[in-house]
Amino acid sequence: QVQLVESGGGLVQAGGSLRLSCAASGMFFSINAMGWYRQAPGNQRELVAVISSGHSSNYADSVKGRFTISRDNTKNTVYLQMNSLKPEDTAVYYCHTSRGRNDYWGQGTQVTVSS
């Protein structure tokens, strides 16, 4: 079955950078769009960035110019490079994909940005 495993979260000061990784298995990775979502305490889960099989990408307005999503189809991995981090970026970050009517999520990785 499809498995998504995130890594790379942690504690960073405002203005710092982190790179998240999501390793996928059990799927034809190269043909699937992949996305990163985040959920802060008390908030709904929101889309951060998505990358298509053709490597085109879209971002939430709040992260445009600071975050970059990319994928390496040889490693079945999607990345989220996060620069100029702000305290409001603090959240659990989740990797996501879908196949047909099924949605698949990773377990999440905590990102905490201190001011």
Side-chain angles (χ1 to χ4, degrees):
Q1 70 270 21
V2 175
Q3 279 195 313
L4 303 173
V5 180
E6 301 100 335
S7 61
L11 174 63
V12 64
Q13 288 189 332
S17 298
L18 284 173
R19 189 176 82 152
L20 306 184
S21 300
C22 170
S25 60
M27 57 185 281
F28 291 107
F29 181 81
S30 64
I31 66 172
N32 275 61
M34 301 293 299
W36 286 98
Y37 287 71
R38 67 186 181 187
Q39 187 168 19
N43 289 0
Q44 290 190 335
R45 195 170 294 189
E46 62 175 1
L47 176 66
V48 175
V50 62
I51 186 167
S52 72
S53 58
H55 294 250
S56 62
S57 57
N58 283 291
Y59 299 90
D61 287 343
S62 58
V63 307
K64 281 181 181 176
R66 300 188 297 121
F67 290 11
T68 302
I69 189 171
S70 61
R71 64 190 298 160
D72 184 340
N73 290 340
T74 67
K75 297 181 179 179
N76 283 8
T77 300
V78 61
Y79 304 97
L80 186 68
Q81 178 66 44
M82 305 185 295
N83 299 329
S84 302
L85 282 161
K86 304 175 181 180
E88 51 263 44
D89 294 319
T90 295
V92 179
Y93 284 70
Y94 296 92
C95 183
H96 170 268
T97 193
S98 62
R99 185 169 64 190
R101 297 179 179 179
N102 297 316
D103 286 300
Y104 300 95
W105 298 90
Q107 81 286 357
T109 186
Q110 176 70 46
V111 171
T112 302
V113 185
S114 63
S115 56

